[in-house]
Amino acid sequence: MSFHRITIRINGNLEQVDVPGNLTLLQMLRDKLGLTGTKNGCASGECGACTVILNGDAVNSCMVVAAECDGAEITTIEGLASSGDLDMVQKMILEEGGVQCGFCTPGILMSARALLNRNPHPTEFDIRDAISGNLCRCTGYNRIVTAISRAAEAESAAVK
Amino acid sequence: MNNAHPGLPDFVEYVKPASLEEASKFLVAHAGESRPFLGATDCIVRMRDGIWKTKYLVDVKGLDGTNQITFDPAVGLTIGAAVPMNKVAAHPAVIKHYPLLAEACHWVASYQLRSRATIVGNICNASPAGDTIGASMLLEGVLRVFGPDGYRDEPLNGFFKGPGRTNLKPGDIAVSVSFPLPPQGNSGRYIKLGRNKLGDLAIVGVTAFGYPDSSAASGYRFRIALASVAPIPLRVPKAEELLASKPIDEAVLAEAAQLAYESCTPIDDVRGSARYRKQMVRNLTRNALVDIWSKIRKDA
Ligand SMILES: Cc1cc2nc3c(=O)[nH]c(=O)nc-3n(C[C@H](O)[C@H](O)[C@H](O)COP(=O)(O)OP(=O)(O)OC[C@H]3O[C@@H](n4cnc5c(N)ncnc54)[C@H](O)[C@@H]3O)c2cc1C
Ligand code: FES
Ligand code: FES
């Protein structure tokens, strides 16, 4: 087994990691870097619990080979509130009660953050499309959709 | 590691060649135990489940323009192999001139998966269920391939040989897929029937495309491709010929849909029975044709 030394910017910090070729980004985050906020639900690209932002795009980290991330910029759920203040999508999910067991929540938040970064004024369709790969067995999605829509409104009001 | 869901087997190695030549040579030297990859969304699942025993995953992203998408009205559209579906579907030239391609991308899995999954990966994977293959065939897609003997072009019609089997040989690397400018006044539809609205493979997929053409006896030409109902993505030449020769009306569109029904050879599986699939091919083909006809007919 050969290792690859990769340099990544993770939640704003530069890190060097030695990864074997068979490691997924999800395994690297959880098992090498101790960032266990990113969840392993299916390891098959189906559930979205492992969603992180890779070079600006929401991706399933279980579907990415860690070794190919050399030079990449990665944001995980731990990076959302790194300054101590909750991100707007986190605040609104809490206010709306869009969390029950919480297993899907880190993934949903990362999908939502990536959406608002690329599209500050999403329609309900855009929101549902952005979280189409995030399965939630508890909430029934409506409160999550409302929360993301309120986060978008609050952020654009703050910009004005 | 105590994950309920394990990752790739320990023997898997990641290889990042510096050029297409180097990648192709490596793939030839390790034929049978290596494969090129792009988004890895098929590779990771297949290798994790032990269906593919690949040892070397050869990353071909970023080599020689594979990350670019270019449009020139005189030549058409060229999508680099490594461009993920979300980037394709959001490209202004795709939205304007190739909306069928954007529509097909949109039916693949979920947003996150499409941040990684590529059209060229969908094509090279050669699943009869591949959602973007029908649109790529009907828009006259041509795969540009770099192989041991240099570059060559592979038109998609005739490219598929069976489930997971294509004209590609060890050492071949698809670098892009190109599409000519589609005919004036065209319209296309992709109708995917899944067990749920999103994220499942097609039980049946019907792609149809039509445009006015004065060289056809009917004044129109249509193209039809079917997913998940034969060992390969299936064109329906008999129906296409009928629609070029007989004056178009609802009855002729229904007759063409019946020919699609007769030409497909689906199997029973967990997603649906062969009988159900055939009937849905007929119904969805008719729906797609009626919809396109309403948009392209000149007397409307
Ligand atoms: C959860 C999930 C849901 C999915 N849902 C859908 C769906 O709804 N519809 C659908 O059509 N598909 C679906 N897929 C399958 C898959 O995402 C698509 O087939 C995708 O387009 C593959 O693209 P990729 O870039 O990830 O391919 P990869 O996994 O990188 O490669 C796919 C195949 O092509 C070969 N290959 C890759 N690059 C090249 C190249 N440059 N030259 C030659 N051969 C090459 C590989 O060796 C491999 O055999 C799903 C997959 C998952 C995991
Ligand atoms: S763990 Fe990655 S999609 Fe489920
Ligand atoms: S809150 Fe339990 S899965 Fe979403």
Side-chain angles (χ1 to χ4, degrees):
Chain A
M1 183 190 294
S2 50
F3 281 78
H4 304 260
R5 172 154 300 180
I6 62 169
T7 306
I8 53 173
R9 187 175 287 279
I10 173 107
N11 299 328
N13 305 317
L14 272 183
E15 295 242 16
Q16 275 197 340
V17 202
D18 290 326
V19 292
N22 71 327
L23 210 69
T24 64
L25 175 57
L26 171 63
Q27 292 171 310
M28 179 185 91
L29 293 172
R30 290 181 58 85
D31 304 334
K32 287 239 164 203
L33 300 176
L35 295 171
T36 53
T38 303
K39 301 301 176 199
N40 180 353
C42 66
S44 305
E46 306 265 1
C47 76
C50 67
T51 304
V52 301
I53 302 181
L54 173 66
N55 296 328
D57 295 321
V59 302
N60 305 104
S61 60
C62 69
M63 288 285 109
V64 177
V65 179
E68 57 172 299
C69 293
D70 192 26
E73 184 151 351
I74 301 163
T75 310
T76 67
I77 187 67
E78 287 85 353
L80 267 200
S82 51
S83 65
D85 290 334
L86 292 184
D87 188 274
M88 189 61 85
V89 284
Q90 292 175 306
K91 279 185 202 154
M92 290 303 173
I93 282 256
L94 278 176
E95 274 189 26
E96 280 297 322
V99 183
Q100 287 183 31
C101 79
F103 195 80
C104 69
T105 312
I108 299 240
L109 290 167
M110 298 321 286
S111 285
R113 187 66 264 159
L115 168 69
L116 298 191
N117 290 352
R118 70 176 176 267
N119 176 2
H121 305 287
T123 61
E124 182 179 335
F125 176 87
D126 296 333
I127 295 173
R128 289 187 183 272
D129 184 45
I131 60 168
S132 59
N134 294 95
L135 302 186
C136 174
R137 298 295 79 161
C138 306
T139 65
Y141 301 104
N142 281 343
R143 285 161 189 257
I144 294 171
V145 173
T146 310
I148 299 172
S149 152
R150 281 188 59 201
E153 283 164 25
E155 285 185 349
S156 49
V159 172
K160 267 177 210 154
Chain B
M1 241 173 273
N2 265 330
N3 281 334
H5 302 288
L8 293 168
D10 285 344
F11 58 77
V12 173
E13 302 276 357
Y14 171 81
V15 180
K16 177 84 201 172
S19 67
L20 285 172
E21 290 83 1
E22 190 186 322
S24 177
K25 281 198 181 121
F26 186 93
L27 289 163
V28 170
H30 298 276
E33 54 169 7
S34 63
R35 62 173 63 240
F37 84 98
L38 295 162
T41 60
D42 279 308
C43 288
I44 289 183
V45 174
R46 295 298 179 96
M47 290 167 62
R48 209 262 324 268
D49 293 348
I51 300 167
W52 292 347
K53 311 265 187 259
T54 311
K55 178 171 180 198
Y56 299 105
L57 265 179
V58 181
D59 191 350
V60 296
K61 291 189 287 293
L63 300 180
D64 274 359
T66 53
N67 285 350
Q68 280 155 22
I69 171 162
T70 55
F71 175 71
D72 175 345
V75 192
L77 179 75
T78 298
I79 300 172
V83 180
M85 291 182 184
N86 282 340
K87 293 240 155 57
V88 174
H91 195 280
V94 174
I95 294 169
K96 182 152 184 230
H97 300 289
Y98 306 84
L100 180 60
L101 209 52
E103 184 184 5
C105 286
H106 201 257
W107 280 105
V108 174
S110 61
Y111 188 89
Q112 293 102 301
L113 206 91
R114 297 193 301 270
S115 295
R116 302 284 301 168
T118 64
I119 292 182
V120 168
N122 202 222
I123 292 170
C124 292
N125 195 54
S127 156
D131 283 313
T132 66
I133 297 177
S136 299
M137 286 167 81
L138 299 193
L139 293 166
E140 300 181 286
V142 176
L143 210 58
R144 183 107 177 116
V145 178
F146 182 88
D149 302 322
Y151 283 102
R152 70 175 195 276
D153 286 332
E154 286 278 354
L156 292 183
N157 291 305
F159 177 70
F160 302 99
K161 296 294 165 209
R165 285 190 300 116
T166 66
N167 286 345
L168 294 182
K169 303 262 178 327
D172 282 346
I173 300 158
V175 293
S176 65
V177 59
S178 295
F179 303 95
L181 198 66
Q184 288 278 321
N186 74 77
S187 177
R189 262 314 287 284
Y190 180 51
I191 305 182
K192 174 177 179 176
L193 178 71
R195 287 174 299 183
N196 47 28
K197 249 191 188 166
L198 283 165
D200 192 24
L201 293 181
I203 299 172
V204 166
V206 175
T207 317
F209 181 80
Y211 56 99
D213 182 352
S214 53
S215 78
S218 71
Y220 297 89
R221 285 193 199 276
F222 286 81
R223 303 173 188 156
I224 302 165
L226 307 176
S228 290
V229 292
I232 57 170
L234 197 69
R235 286 287 290 264
V236 192
K238 276 189 187 158
E240 297 180 11
E241 282 154 27
L242 173 81
L243 295 168
S245 54
K246 259 196 187 178
I248 310 277
D249 59 20
E250 293 254 344
V252 174
L253 295 175
E255 202 182 319
Q258 178 66 24
L259 290 172
Y261 170 95
E262 284 162 18
S263 69
C264 66
T265 52
I267 54 167
D268 294 315
D269 71 9
V270 288
R271 290 194 170 77
S273 66
R275 182 167 165 270
Y276 175 63
R277 285 190 153 108
K278 272 180 95 75
Q279 292 178 352
M280 291 314 284
V281 161
R282 181 177 56 209
N283 297 350
L284 298 180
T285 302
R286 193 187 55 219
N287 291 354
L289 293 175
V290 167
D291 180 50
I292 292 172
W293 172 234
S294 74
K295 289 177 183 142
I296 65 172
R297 61 189 296 180
K298 294 210 150 150
D299 54 357

